[in-house]
Amino acid sequence: MRSVIASIVASTCLRACLAEQLPLAGSHHALVPDDAPSYRSELLSLHKSLVTIPSVSGNENAVGNFVVEYLTDRGYIADIQFVPKRNNTQGDKERFNVVAWRGDSNPTPKVLVTSHIDVVPPHIDYGIEDGPVTKDTRISGRGSVDAKGSVAAIIIALEDLLSHDRVDGSDVMLLFVVGEEVSGDGMRYFSDSLKNMTEQPAFDAVIFGEPTENKLACGHKGGLFGEIVAQGIASHSGYPWLGKSANELMVHAMAKIFATDLGSSDLYGNTTFNLGRFEGGVAANVVPEHARAGIAIRVAIGPEKGGGEIVRERVQKILNEIDEDAFELISSHSYGAVDCDCDVDGFETAVMNYGTDIPNLAGDHTRYLYGPGSILVAHGPNENLTVGDLETAVEGFQKLILHALKA
Ligand SMILES: *[C@@H]1O[C@H](CO)[C@@H](O)[C@H](O)[C@H]1NC(C)=O
Ligand SMILES: *[C@@H]1O[C@H](CO)[C@@H](O)[C@H](O)[C@H]1NC(C)=O
Ligand SMILES: *[C@@H]1O[C@H](CO)[C@@H](O)[C@H](O)[C@H]1NC(C)=O
Ligand SMILES: *[C@@H]1O[C@H](CO)[C@@H](O)[C@H](O)[C@H]1NC(C)=O
């Protein structure tokens, strides 16, 4: 592992640029001893630091530095893996994945536990409800749920297992990636870096931290993202038969796509179609020559490799039925529903309608998807979770790590 990953552990520069860890402090947040686990204050402090540092995709440098310092201070080996900048306009600092473990300098980890350190815009400040901290205390801020709640819970879960000698440090590797919210470039880069190695590590299991309301996800829908472009012929709006309206074609096509069953399954329900952007034409009195629709389809059928193509063919067929020549369906990639293992005692199960980095990591490993907080508030202005959600997640990640190591 170390031969491929630039080993820049605790270099002077890194330490110099590190964001300070923010103490939880605050006299009105005195801990309530009753049902508080021993790690509560460490968990909340770590979560606060992570959420406080802005890390919108493309600008993950500061939070990456924080994670490296946090882990190296606690005896981990933390390697950083530079991921190419997204484009010239985004951030002026390097961005990197953090790969960490405790123990052997040449580990052969059986289990990888991973989440992402980037968030969607805009940055929203950290907030915690006033009063004594209890399990019901709400914590808000961008990333509090997606996915810094998972990042904090994963780190504390492993720390607690290690400090009680319940796992061997070399068996468990941590991976915190950049770019999940945009293109998955961080996880793809990590996946490629494994392929480059002479002795590829074979993880028995990979645990992905994303908001599942602490339910163990049996999988998530696939996706097909892209654009439909319609080409018409411009003419005077008083003589529309002289032209061909790209908008009219597009409206017919969209209506038909909405009315068509694009594929459903018992586990994932219906494939859903979102017409997220729609533009076309140049003026009210001109028959429009061009129309364009930005689409996101959530694919409810498998297989993971190919399920997206089946849906694409169904959409293409509809477009052809409307007009053989006018449409182009442009999509960079698609995938079918992504199954995960949810056969572990002690968890409620669910399926998710969102995408994750799971398909971006190649390999023949058992996959788990789990984490605190609700996707229904992730990406929104009211993103929040409770102290109890975070603490339950620590226990949940521990159960999954122990289960995966036993299997
Ligand atoms: C860079 O990314 C931003 C945000 O995604 C986008 O608005 C901009 O057009 C991109 N620039 C280039 C040169 O690709
Ligand atoms: C993998 O190896 C190729 C060829 O040597 C190289 O171009 C590429 O950057 C490497 N990728 C990673 C992620 O290390
Ligand atoms: C799926 O779509 C069908 C119509 O095609 C509808 O009757 C059904 O209620 C939908 N199921 C869900 C779970 O939305
Ligand atoms: C906090 O999140 C929950 C979902 O977990 C949501 O129902 C609630 O409206 C949010 N609260 C605030 C104050 O934003």
Side-chain angles (χ1 to χ4, degrees):
M1 183 120 272
R2 308 207 65 195
S3 48
V4 252
I5 298 165
S7 191
I8 313 187
V9 183
S11 72
T12 333
C13 163
L14 261 179
R15 284 186 177 272
C17 328
L18 288 169
E20 251 177 77
Q21 191 193 341
L22 304 151
L24 177 65
S27 44
H28 16 269
H29 295 137
L31 294 185
V32 184
D34 56 357
D35 59 348
S38 57
Y39 51 74
R40 175 176 284 176
S41 89
E42 186 60 28
L43 172 65
L44 298 190
S45 162
L46 171 59
H47 184 248
K48 177 176 184 177
S49 298
L50 290 167
V51 175
T52 301
I53 302 170
S55 62
V56 171
S57 310
N59 296 283
E60 301 97 334
N61 177 279
V63 78
N65 279 325
F66 168 78
V67 171
V68 168
E69 175 168 81
Y70 186 91
L71 292 172
T72 51
D73 278 355
R74 283 158 185 78
Y76 288 76
I77 297 172
D79 279 350
I80 66 179
Q81 188 174 49
F82 289 107
V83 177
K85 288 185 189 177
R86 283 185 49 221
N87 68 33
N88 297 333
T89 61
Q90 284 235 326
D92 53 356
K93 294 201 178 133
E94 296 292 342
R95 52 205 291 264
F96 49 86
N97 296 332
V98 180
V99 185
W101 66 94
R102 212 157 76 181
D104 222 309
S105 61
N106 281 304
T108 49
K110 298 183 178 118
V111 174
L112 179 72
V113 194
T114 182
S115 187
H116 61 92
I117 50 177
D118 66 314
V119 298
V120 297
H123 174 73
I124 300 173
D125 283 339
Y126 177 92
I128 183 164
E129 271 178 347
D130 282 340
V133 174
T134 70
K135 287 202 180 295
D136 297 328
T137 300
R138 288 204 169 269
I139 300 173
S140 59
R142 176 60 78 231
S144 55
V145 170
D146 190 4
K148 291 170 173 175
S150 285
V151 174
I154 285 169
I155 291 173
I156 298 299
L158 182 57
E159 265 298 278
D160 190 64
L161 289 176
L162 289 169
S163 68
H164 292 94
D165 283 327
R166 296 178 72 196
V167 298
D168 179 339
S170 304
D171 283 344
V172 183
M173 179 168 275
L174 300 177
L175 167 66
F176 300 113
V177 298
V178 298
E180 191 275 342
E181 293 291 1
V182 178
S183 59
D185 55 352
M187 185 60 84
R188 284 174 211 274
Y189 195 84
F190 176 77
S191 187
D192 286 348
S193 75
L194 297 183
K195 281 186 222 147
N196 275 2
M197 296 175 62
T198 38
E199 263 184 75
Q200 298 185 12
F203 302 113
D204 294 338
V206 182
I207 301 166
F208 293 84
E210 288 276 9
T212 66
E213 300 179 15
N214 288 327
K215 293 173 187 163
L216 189 55
C218 301
H220 66 75
K221 280 182 172 173
L224 167 60
F225 307 93
E227 275 191 340
I228 296 173
V229 178
Q231 171 75 48
I233 298 167
S235 75
H236 192 289
S237 60
Y239 305 84
W241 52 87
L242 298 177
K244 179 170 167 179
S245 169
N247 282 354
E248 190 179 334
L249 289 169
M250 192 67 96
V251 168
H252 285 305
M254 292 300 122
K256 194 153 182 184
I257 292 170
F258 277 118
T260 303
D261 176 2
L262 296 174
S264 58
S265 58
D266 288 343
L267 186 56
Y268 297 101
N270 292 336
T271 295
T272 58
F273 177 74
N274 184 53
L275 171 55
R277 288 186 65 204
F278 194 126
E279 61 193 36
V282 291
N285 60 355
V286 177
V287 171
E289 188 179 6
H290 299 290
R292 189 179 286 273
I295 60 167
I297 300 177
R298 302 293 175 167
V299 175
I301 54 171
E304 184 176 323
K305 285 190 175 56
E309 272 309 295
I310 296 171
V311 171
R312 174 210 275 273
E313 280 160 23
R314 290 176 184 170
V315 172
Q316 187 65 56
K317 182 162 172 283
I318 294 169
L319 298 176
N320 293 347
E321 282 163 11
I322 303 278
D323 189 305
E324 282 279 357
D325 311 312
F327 293 103
E328 195 184 351
L329 171 54
I330 305 160
S331 151
S332 53
H333 77 291
S334 69
Y335 59 102
V338 174
D339 294 329
C340 296
D341 189 324
C342 58
D343 188 12
V344 181
D345 284 344
F347 290 94
E348 259 188 83
T349 62
V351 292
M352 301 294 137
N353 292 347
Y354 55 76
T356 69
D357 262 337
I358 295 174
N360 297 330
L361 178 58
D364 182 21
H365 43 259
T366 304
R367 309 182 296 192
Y368 300 102
L369 172 57
Y370 174 84
S374 168
I375 196 64
L376 304 181
V377 292
H379 298 201
N382 58 342
E383 182 167 357
N384 79 92
L385 44 52
T386 65
V387 169
D389 292 336
L390 285 173
E391 291 172 353
T392 302
V394 170
E395 315 285 327
F397 280 117
Q398 290 185 333
K399 267 194 259 180
L400 289 174
I401 292 168
L402 293 172
H403 178 85
L405 285 172
K406 234 182 330 167

